[in-house]
Amino acid sequence: MGDATMSKPVPVRHLHVGPEFHAEQHIHPEPTSFLSRYVFSKDHKVIAKQFLWYGLFFLVMGGVMAMMIRWQIAFPGTAFPVLGQLLWPQSGGVMPPQSYAAFFTMHGTLMIFFAITPILIGAFGNLLIPLMIGARDMAFPTLNLMSFWTNVLAGLCMIVSFFVPMGPAAGGWQSYPTLSTLVGSPGHGQTLWILGIFLTGSASIMGAVNYITTVVRLRAPGMGYFQMPLSVWGIWLTAILNALFVPVLAAGVLLLFLDRVFGSHFFLAGASITKGGGDPVLYQHLFWIFGHPEVYILILPAWGIVSDLLSFFSRKPAFGYKATALSMSVITLLSMVVYGHHMFVVGMSPLLSQGFMTLTMLISIPSAVFFLNWLGTMWRGSIRFATPMLFSLGVVFVFGLGGLTGLHLGAISSDIYLHDSYFVIGHFHLTMAASVLLGAFAAIYFWFPKMFGKMMNETLGKWHFWLTIIPITIVFCGMLVVGYAGMQRRLYNYEAYEFLKHLHPINVWITRAALLLGASQFLFVGNFLSSLISGKKAAENPWEVGTLEWTIPSPPPHHNYDEIPVVLHGPHEFNNPAVTGKDWLAQDEPIGDEPVALGAVGN
Amino acid sequence: MNARPEAAYAPAPAPLTEPTFGTATTGKVGMWIFLVTDAMTFGGLLLAYGILRAGNKEWPAPTTVLGIPFTAFMTFVLIVSSLTMVLGLDAAKKGDRREAVKWLVATAGGGVFFLCGQVYEYRHLIHEGFTLPSGNFPATFYVITSFHGGHVFTGVCYLLITAFGVSRGRHLENGANFVEITGLFWHFVDLIWILVFTLVYLIP
Ligand code: HEM
Ligand SMILES: [Cu+2]
């Protein structure tokens, strides 16, 4: 029996804690003025909330734009209810073609850079890293503050761009030249888009430097890398990718900016052959060197969070914890060398394409590892179907679908047919929109008590889940189907094409599901706001889990930990037979009278 | 009610690891990571330069347009400023404030000289019609060198702030860690210049 090994006496563990470690983490007094407390705060928990509000704002904006795009596809020539009349009075509320292009561009841009990134990386990165590793704050609180406010400037650029003559950027979220040069988009919208991306990129870099350093330097004594919750692993790997590849995007858009404003022609082919013409494909390289890691930047935090939540709500240790952490790391590495799969049709050397295809296919190995680990975690667990768990299961489901469809796009022969079709739209929405969105909801439902000290309503949460997962599956699987049938993406009026006309009924159903999806988000908004005001008061550890943030009050005090905790266990110690009376164990909680000694403590 | 099968139970008592990362301070780790991101930005720009140049058969030999001896001298000054930086850090570590300030200001002086040289070079080149819109050789040249120039400018400000702090008796604790971090940035700027000089000026 395994029991024999478990009850072996645990040796006294000596912790060596460098003096510097303690020297760094002073308890700062809580700021008292309104401005320094809620606006220009350096407290990671406050910045996390700022990012959450900021991201939710853009999520609504991007979401409404998605509804409008879908409306135009299913009901061309009819006015979008209410908002249509406000936005396009001259056409009787019908979205004109130029607005359609602007809206899918800005929908993609806002969702990726201003909704998902702030919520998962900005809000939960900030909230979870210090709390989960047992630190008092981020390594560089001032940098944290700057990161948020730089982001706000970036968001303003994007919002202002809606009001300039000729409207916002309309060259797709990738902003490929020549669409995005002065030839394709003469207005100021595209220039503001570049500024916004540059600024939000700078903010991401500031965040990344801060996150990586915090994880490297401020882990509590005993918190080795393999004692970190998988959420922290995910966010940390994301920060690494941000630090490495956002700069490449910055370089790309900088050159685009010079092309637009200072008359260079890095990306203008032909126009200037005699002076040495530019190369539009160069932009695609720079963009996708960043762009492919970007999809992992978005998904890694959600993967980490889901890996933790599945274990928490199955009341079992995460199956293959180390394998999950390592496979996420391997994916992070591989994601650096596969970007060419976005460019199979630009006319690259076939040899290079083959290489990119092979590397892309390799990613399915580590992906399968952690996916099976998720299933293994739930296997024979005593699952509690609370709202965060439902959303985590939703992630497992939609990510499974999205991951499998990715194989069709990673293989050159099928990609040449599917490229730029609605199949791609379906695929990437399943993987990086639906999965990440559901992951964000899981995180919000789960950590809301810790952030705001109140519980969210479970019944509403469950309704929200079912009314989200069903339509979201219909919407994005529907897109896979019409894409497979040959419908291209970014079409203002697909019915202009004889061979696509028969897709009308299914497109109408996709739109209906999308509208239902949009409407059911009111359940979330209502739940969020009413719980904030009058939710049940949250206990210290309402979910009965063992990670460090649940050992302190909800919400935590300004300095998080009165005393820096000493970590003794991994993050998922459930049903440890040596523990009686409850089925979880806090990471810093000794088993029985397990002796712990601190050596060379600096304070 | 113990629903967990025994086989899945893997308690693996946490090995208690040293939380500090060697002896590097938080600031130093942060600076290193920042330098990596910064190197990636230069990497992006140099990649663009490489692709544009490789794809263009009429790219002129840089040596025919750019004044190599002049820039070689500027490069030399920048390398010397790395040396004075080392001397400044050494003095700061020994707690010799006056000496440290002297070398730090000398380092900044090297940076200012370099910037003046760059302004002179630009004016000369623009006068000859070598302007940003006039082709991709000038365009990549200006983007990369001015992006580097911006780093030199930042470095000069950073050095002067550090020198000011040292003159007030600050930044000497912890093995003059603050000065060392300033130095990291400055050496990085020099290192990048040597790459830029080789790739943009020298390769025929
Ligand atoms: C949840 C509801 C959502 C719906 C119904 C939806 C729907 C759509 C539609 C209809 C398009 C236009 C396809 C085309 O005509 O080419 C689109 C594009 C796009 N969406 Fe979404 N979307 C949703 C959420 C998201 C989220 C959360 C993200 C971010 C991760 C996202 C990222 C994008 C991107 C990047 C594009 C491509 C834009 C372009 O072509 O430049 N979407 N979406
Ligand atoms: Cu990709």
Side-chain angles (χ1 to χ4, degrees):
Chain A
M1 279 295 284
D3 265 318
T5 46
M6 265 161 255
S7 47
K8 253 206 307 226
V10 193
V12 178
R13 305 176 197 163
H14 284 275
L15 278 184
H16 178 77
V17 183
E20 207 212 319
F21 177 72
H22 283 265
E24 270 163 6
Q25 300 211 31
H26 308 292
I27 296 187
H28 298 283
E30 196 168 351
T32 46
S33 79
F34 179 80
L35 273 187
S36 56
R37 213 168 152 162
Y38 299 110
V39 183
F40 299 107
S41 170
K42 296 185 188 174
D43 180 347
H44 73 102
K45 299 183 289 302
V46 178
I47 297 177
K49 286 182 198 171
Q50 290 175 323
F51 267 119
L52 185 62
W53 289 111
Y54 179 78
L56 288 174
F57 169 79
F58 281 107
L59 188 64
V60 172
M61 204 166 147
V64 171
M65 295 172 87
M67 301 301 124
M68 290 178 174
I69 303 170
R70 278 313 311 180
W71 185 274
Q72 163 60 30
I73 293 174
F75 316 116
T78 51
F80 189 82
V82 193
L83 282 177
Q85 293 293 347
L86 284 174
L87 290 171
W88 308 289
Q90 70 285 12
S91 59
V94 180
M95 179 192 271
Q98 174 62 17
S99 297
Y100 184 82
F103 271 41
F104 69 64
T105 301
M106 294 309 284
H107 158 75
T109 305
L110 293 182
M111 282 295 196
I112 289 185
F113 296 102
F114 296 90
I116 297 297
T117 304
I119 294 177
L120 277 145
I121 308 176
F124 286 102
N126 256 310
L127 178 76
L128 297 182
I129 294 179
L131 286 181
M132 285 189 141
I133 64 173
R136 294 234 153 89
D137 204 327
M138 283 285 176
F140 308 112
T142 314
L143 194 65
N144 212 2
L145 166 106
M146 280 162 54
S147 166
F148 176 72
W149 286 101
T150 310
N151 229 320
V152 172
L153 278 183
L156 281 178
C157 287
M158 293 297 176
I159 291 180
V160 168
S161 78
F162 280 87
F163 299 100
V164 298
M166 288 193 257
W173 82 282
Q174 306 108 331
S175 285
Y176 280 174
T178 349
L179 283 176
S180 58
T181 56
L182 286 179
V183 179
S185 1
H188 286 307
Q190 184 68 49
T191 310
L192 282 165
W193 183 93
I194 296 175
L195 278 178
I197 291 296
F198 196 85
L199 285 171
T200 195
S202 315
S204 285
I205 292 171
M206 294 180 208
V209 169
N210 211 352
Y211 289 11
I212 301 172
T213 313
T214 308
V215 170
V216 168
R217 287 294 277 107
L218 298 188
R219 279 167 295 125
M223 179 70 80
Y225 285 99
F226 287 114
Q227 275 74 46
M228 296 196 307
L230 290 163
S231 307
V232 179
W233 265 96
I235 295 162
W236 187 58
L237 292 171
T238 277
I240 291 175
L241 285 178
N242 257 333
L244 288 173
F245 295 106
V246 173
V248 182
L249 174 70
V253 296
L254 179 70
L255 299 183
L256 191 58
F257 183 81
L258 295 175
D259 271 9
R260 292 182 62 86
V261 179
F262 292 102
S264 56
H265 16 75
F266 293 107
F267 302 132
L268 271 184
S272 52
I273 285 296
T274 48
K275 301 169 190 164
D279 181 0
V281 177
L282 167 62
Y283 178 88
Q284 300 193 17
H285 280 286
L286 292 175
F287 183 86
W288 287 112
I289 287 176
F290 150 82
H292 185 79
E294 170 68 10
V295 305
Y296 288 94
I297 288 170
L298 296 174
I299 192 72
L300 275 163
W303 280 350
I305 288 168
V306 167
S307 308
D308 276 340
L309 295 193
L310 288 178
S311 153
F312 294 164
F313 287 95
S314 306
R315 315 307 292 170
K316 269 181 64 193
F319 183 85
Y321 165 91
K322 252 193 193 170
T324 304
L326 290 177
S327 57
M328 291 204 300
S329 312
V330 171
I331 292 173
T332 304
L333 286 175
L334 281 176
S335 79
M336 303 175 186
V337 287
V338 298
Y339 77 90
H341 60 214
H342 296 273
M343 299 169 60
F344 285 151
V345 299
V346 299
M348 274 194 282
S349 127
L351 194 64
L352 207 57
S353 296
Q354 293 281 339
F356 277 126
M357 170 167 108
T358 313
L359 288 164
T360 303
M361 292 302 173
L362 272 183
I363 291 195
S364 44
I365 298 171
S367 307
V369 169
F370 79 76
F371 199 84
L372 290 175
N373 281 350
W374 283 353
L375 303 184
T377 302
M378 289 182 282
W379 183 251
R380 296 181 68 189
S382 21
I383 299 181
R384 297 180 181 173
F385 290 100
T387 310
M389 180 61 172
L390 290 178
F391 276 99
S392 305
L393 291 171
V395 175
V396 176
F397 176 65
V398 291
F399 188 77
L401 288 174
L404 288 175
T405 52
L407 295 173
H408 301 245
L409 300 170
I412 300 171
S413 43
S414 43
D415 181 64
I416 288 173
Y417 171 68
L418 294 170
H419 185 83
D420 261 350
S421 75
Y422 248 94
F423 189 86
V424 176
I425 304 285
H427 156 73
F428 77 66
H429 276 87
L430 283 169
T431 44
M432 78 168 184
S435 305
V436 181
L437 200 62
L438 297 177
F441 283 135
I444 293 174
Y445 281 104
F446 185 73
W447 278 288
F448 188 90
K450 192 50 67 182
M451 282 182 108
F452 299 101
K454 303 273 179 66
M455 300 301 289
M456 283 181 84
N457 183 307
E458 273 289 304
T459 317
L460 278 179
K462 288 190 175 131
W463 275 100
H464 175 217
F465 170 72
W466 289 109
L467 288 177
T468 297
I469 188 76
I470 296 171
I472 223 172
T473 312
I474 298 175
V475 169
F476 297 128
C477 290
M479 291 186 182
L480 291 175
V481 174
V482 293
Y484 213 85
M487 181 165 152
Q488 294 295 296
R489 69 192 285 197
R490 294 176 177 166
L491 288 184
Y492 174 65
N493 183 6
Y494 72 97
E495 286 177 287
Y497 301 88
E498 200 56 45
F499 75 105
L500 294 176
K501 274 199 170 132
H502 70 288
L503 296 175
H504 186 69
I506 181 163
N507 269 316
V508 170
W509 273 104
I510 296 175
T511 299
R512 287 188 183 141
L515 293 172
L516 172 64
L517 175 65
S520 57
Q521 302 317 307
F522 284 106
L523 288 173
F524 172 75
V525 176
N527 192 354
F528 190 93
L529 294 178
S530 69
S531 305
L532 203 60
I533 297 163
S534 58
K536 208 169 88 229
K537 222 185 127 14
E540 196 172 279
N541 188 1
W543 308 112
E544 308 188 316
V545 297
T547 45
L548 292 176
E549 79 274 25
W550 301 104
T551 63
I552 51 176
S554 316
H558 178 63
H559 55 272
N560 299 348
Y561 295 94
D562 292 338
E563 232 169 279
I564 298 288
V566 174
V567 175
L568 303 167
H569 317 279
H572 311 120
E573 279 301 296
F574 288 104
N575 277 306
N576 186 326
V579 179
T580 46
K582 55 180 186 149
D583 70 347
W584 80 96
L585 186 68
Q587 282 196 268
D588 62 347
E589 189 181 348
I591 303 179
D593 46 16
E594 179 186 21
V596 177
L598 279 182
V601 176
N603 48 355
Chain B
M1 283 275 287
N2 191 334
R4 187 166 62 167
E6 293 305 315
Y9 178 58
L16 295 174
T17 42
E18 166 68 36
T20 55
F21 188 72
T23 50
T25 59
T26 310
K28 206 188 282 181
V29 174
M31 179 54 88
W32 272 111
I33 295 165
F34 170 73
L35 294 182
V36 172
T37 71
D38 215 16
M40 288 301 287
T41 319
F42 276 106
L45 294 177
L46 288 170
L47 182 72
Y49 163 76
I51 291 183
L52 287 174
R53 183 166 176 181
N56 186 328
K57 293 195 186 64
E58 266 127 62
W59 200 276
T63 41
T64 58
V65 183
L66 306 171
I68 303 300
F70 177 76
T71 316
F73 181 66
M74 287 187 353
T75 310
F76 175 72
V77 172
L78 214 52
I79 293 173
V80 169
S81 80
S82 252
L83 192 72
T84 54
M85 182 68 230
V86 173
L87 293 171
L89 175 62
D90 193 50
K93 278 194 166 150
K94 289 191 184 119
D96 187 342
R97 266 163 56 192
R98 277 200 48 193
E99 194 76 353
V101 171
K102 190 177 90 190
W103 288 121
L104 286 174
V105 172
T107 310
V112 171
F113 182 87
F114 181 88
L115 285 174
C116 293
Q118 207 166 34
V119 170
Y120 173 81
E121 184 190 27
Y122 279 17
R123 286 183 56 164
H124 175 76
L125 288 171
I126 290 171
H127 187 72
E128 296 196 338
F130 190 80
T131 56
L132 188 82
S134 71
N136 273 330
F137 174 39
T140 45
F141 168 83
Y142 282 117
V143 172
I144 295 170
T145 54
S146 63
F147 193 61
H148 177 267
H151 280 72
V152 176
F153 180 75
T154 315
V156 168
C157 298
Y158 193 1
L159 280 165
L160 292 178
I161 292 170
T162 307
F164 179 75
V166 172
S167 74
R168 290 296 170 94
R170 279 182 261 130
H171 305 329
L172 294 179
E173 69 285 354
N174 232 332
N177 184 53
F178 191 96
V179 183
E180 191 173 345
I181 295 173
T182 315
L184 272 179
F185 182 76
W186 190 253
H187 295 313
F188 171 79
V189 172
D190 285 3
L191 188 74
I192 289 285
W193 179 253
I194 292 172
L195 264 179
V196 171
F197 184 54
T198 315
L199 293 174
V200 178
Y201 287 78
L202 293 185
I203 291 189

